[in-house]
């Protein structure tokens, strides 16, 4: 699985957009970009994933560069409850033929401030 | 729909004791797995199962046993606890076809003294 690089920490003002970057320069053609977050003392929570097109759901938007070597997770209006560790993971799409093994790196600790 | 439920939330064991961490899901997911999370190490896969009666080892299986007699339950057994097994344990499940990829429980914090 491709390695990802994320900044260790970021701050964001409540109500503003939080833009979390991820570098994955060794990504291969069949690998997706997944984002999870882990709020203190809870299990990781899936946010969004994508292959090459930008994706949006009720939680966030995912912007993937054209060369697919980096991506940005956008929380459009961050709230205090979005304070968490955010993990960017690159791996082939999960299916019945693979183990669902996710390699969680150190992630980015996002602190949303009032 | 409770999702993935783990019990107990906290446990303290003495070295050499045995115990079972329980995990149950009510989403009819075929795939279930156990991770442990240690400071600075991220989440590491212990064991996983792709369906009832089928289990396999992950990255760090030593010291742990699992079984999958039903779709809903996937218990993790520590036969002889060691201090190195002090960690937070997460159970996760997913459908073979579904999205999101993995649903996680809220973890069991285990301390072995």
């Amino acid at each position: 699985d491709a390695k990802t690089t994320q900044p260790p920490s970021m701050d964001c003002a409540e109500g503003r957009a939080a833009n979390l970057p991820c570098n994955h320069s060794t990504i291969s053609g069949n690998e997706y970009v997944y984002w999870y977050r882990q709020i203190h003392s809870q299990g990781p929570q899936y946010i969004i994933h994508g292959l090459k097109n930008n994706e949006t759901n009720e939680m966030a938007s995912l912007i993937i560069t054209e060369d697919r070597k980096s991506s940005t997770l956008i929380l459009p209006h961050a709230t205090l409850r979005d304070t968490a560790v955010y993990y960017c993971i690159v791996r082939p799409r999960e299916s019945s033929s693979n183990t669902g093994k996710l390699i969680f790196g150190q992630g980015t600790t996002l602190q949303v401030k009032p | 729909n409770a999702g993935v439920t783990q019990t107990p939330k906290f446990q303290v064991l003495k070295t050499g004791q045995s115990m079972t961490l329980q995990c149950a899901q009510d989403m009819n997911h075929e795939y279930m797995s156990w991770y442990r999370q240690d400071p600075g190490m991220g989440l590491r896969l212990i064991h996983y199962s792709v369906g009832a009666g089928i289990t396999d080892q992950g990255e760090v299986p030593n010291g742990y046993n699992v079984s999958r007699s039903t779709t809903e339950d996937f218990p993790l057994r520590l036969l002889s606890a060691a201090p190195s097994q002090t960690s937070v344990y997460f159970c996760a499940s997913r459908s073979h076809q579904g999205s999101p990829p993995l649903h996680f429980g809220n973890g069991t914090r285990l301390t072995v003294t």
Side-chain angles (χ1 to χ4, degrees), chain A residues 37-73:
Chain A
R37 73 180 182 184
Q38 188 172 21
I39 295 169
H40 183 60
S41 298
Q42 296 183 21
Q45 176 189 25
Y46 165 82
I47 302 172
I48 198 167
H49 73 284
L51 182 63
K52 54 184 178 181
N53 297 321
N54 298 338
E55 301 287 345
T56 296
N57 63 19
E58 65 278 4
M59 289 182 68
S61 295
L62 174 61
I63 309 297
I64 302 174
T65 58
E66 191 168 344
D67 63 7
R68 302 187 68 238
K69 293 185 177 181
S70 66
S71 60
T72 301
L73 178 75

Side-chain angles (χ1 to χ4, degrees), chain A:
Chain A
D1 295 348
K3 180 180 168 60
T4 61
T5 303
Q6 300 177 252
S9 64
M10 294 181 63
D11 289 343
C12 177
E14 188 178 19
R16 303 298 292 267
N19 298 289
L20 292 93
C22 179
N23 285 322
H24 32 79
S25 58
T26 60
I27 193 170
S28 60
N30 68 338
E31 289 184 313
Y32 283 66
V33 180
Y34 290 85
W35 283 84
Y36 280 77
R37 73 180 182 184
Q38 188 172 21
I39 295 169
H40 183 60
S41 298
Q42 296 183 21
Q45 176 189 25
Y46 165 82
I47 302 172
I48 198 167
H49 73 284
L51 182 63
K52 54 184 178 181
N53 297 321
N54 298 338
E55 301 287 345
T56 296
N57 63 19
E58 65 278 4
M59 289 182 68
S61 295
L62 174 61
I63 309 297
I64 302 174
T65 58
E66 191 168 344
D67 63 7
R68 302 187 68 238
K69 293 185 177 181
S70 66
S71 60
T72 301
L73 178 75
I74 301 172
L75 308 178
H77 305 287
T79 71
L80 298 179
R81 288 178 295 178
D82 291 321
T83 292
V85 179
Y86 287 78
Y87 298 100
C88 170
I89 301 160
V90 173
R91 58 155 287 133
R93 193 178 199 283
E94 294 191 37
S95 70
S96 58
S97 63
N98 71 52
T99 66
K101 174 179 163 181
L102 295 180
I103 307 296
F104 286 80
Q106 301 303 308
T108 296
T109 299
L110 175 68
Q111 181 72 48
V112 181
K113 299 186 174 181

Side-chain angles (χ1 to χ4, degrees), chain B residues 56-68:
Chain B
D56 207 343
Q57 297 180 348
E59 301 171 84
V60 288
N62 292 340
Y64 306 95
N65 283 347
V66 292
S67 60
R68 185 94 179 271

Side-chain angles (χ1 to χ4, degrees), chain B residues 50-104:
Chain B
V50 298
I54 306 168
T55 63
D56 207 343
Q57 297 180 348
E59 301 171 84
V60 288
N62 292 340
Y64 306 95
N65 283 347
V66 292
S67 60
R68 185 94 179 271
S69 56
T70 67
T71 299
E72 294 78 18
D73 300 297
F74 191 44
L76 180 71
R77 297 185 187 84
L78 285 70
L79 296 179
S80 179
S84 61
Q85 294 177 305
T86 293
S87 188
V88 182
Y89 292 85
F90 289 101
C91 180
S93 74
R94 70 166 168 82
S95 165
H96 280 318
Q97 304 300 328
S99 176
L102 282 178
H103 296 261
F104 283 84

Side-chain angles (χ1 to χ4, degrees), chain B residues 16-79:
Chain B
Q17 286 185 315
S18 63
M19 79 157 296
T20 300
L21 280 63
Q22 301 291 345
C23 175
Q25 53 90 11
D26 60 359
M27 298 171 282
N28 202 33
H29 283 169
E30 299 93 339
Y31 176 91
M32 297 184 73
S33 57
W34 278 101
Y35 285 83
R36 59 177 288 175
Q37 185 173 34
D38 304 296
M41 300 290 290
L43 282 94
R44 293 181 291 170
L45 182 65
I46 305 172
H47 284 285
Y48 65 96
S49 167
V50 298
I54 306 168
T55 63
D56 207 343
Q57 297 180 348
E59 301 171 84
V60 288
N62 292 340
Y64 306 95
N65 283 347
V66 292
S67 60
R68 185 94 179 271
S69 56
T70 67
T71 299
E72 294 78 18
D73 300 297
F74 191 44
L76 180 71
R77 297 185 187 84
L78 285 70
L79 296 179

